[in-house]
């Protein structure tokens, strides 16, 4: 009977050794997965920060090279011999085209009518 127990003891020892090796391998694998996940998260954060910085730089550059706003044209004083109706029609056209705001149109019209 002793001979039968020894192979079982050896088999139990092999199984125990295999379990320890498998457990260690599982722990190492888990640790590596956590490490790689952390590295990926860090890389993703760096990419996001670089993207945001690039967008901020692009916006700053766009503002720097943006064309100046169009000048607002003041109405010329009425020439002594010009027709008042033609000038009012010209102001109305500028207002309709969006060149003059409501306030500018009203002020220019009052100026023409006043004199």
């Amino acid at each position: 009977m002793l001979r039968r127990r020894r192979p079982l003891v050896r088999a139990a020892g092999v199984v125990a050794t295999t379990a320890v090796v498998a457990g260690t391998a599982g722990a190492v694998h888990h640790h590596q997965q956590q490490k790689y996940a952390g590295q990926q998260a860090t890389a993703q954060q760096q990419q996001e920060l670089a993207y945001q910085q690039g967008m901020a730089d692009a916006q700053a550059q766009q503002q720097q090279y943006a064309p100046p706003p169009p000048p607002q044209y003041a109405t010329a004083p009425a020439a002594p011999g010009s027709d008042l109706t033609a000038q009012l029609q010209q102001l109305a056209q500028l207002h309709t085209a969006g060149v003059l705001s409501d306030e500018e149109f009203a002020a220019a019209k009052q100026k023409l009518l006043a004199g």
Side-chain angles (χ1 to χ4, degrees), residues 27-37:
V28 168
H29 179 72
H30 178 71
H31 175 72
Q32 287 177 337
Q33 283 182 332
Q34 286 182 331
K35 177 181 172 183
Y36 295 144

Side-chain angles (χ1 to χ4, degrees), residues 1-15:
M1 275 196 162
L2 288 178
R3 288 187 181 179
R4 287 189 180 177
R5 287 187 183 176
R6 283 189 182 171
L8 289 177
V9 171
R10 284 184 189 164
V14 170
V15 170

Side-chain angles (χ1 to χ4, degrees), residues 74-78 84 91 105-115:
T75 56
L84 182 63
L91 282 177
F105 173 72
K109 186 170 84 171
Q110 285 297 330
K111 193 174 187 180
L112 278 176
L113 294 175

Side-chain angles (χ1 to χ4, degrees), residues 87-106:
Q87 291 177 351
L88 287 173
Q89 286 177 348
Q90 183 181 11
L91 282 177
Q93 288 174 353
L94 290 173
H95 180 255
T96 304
V99 176
L100 295 176
S101 67
D102 292 340
E103 295 82 20
E104 292 171 331
F105 173 72

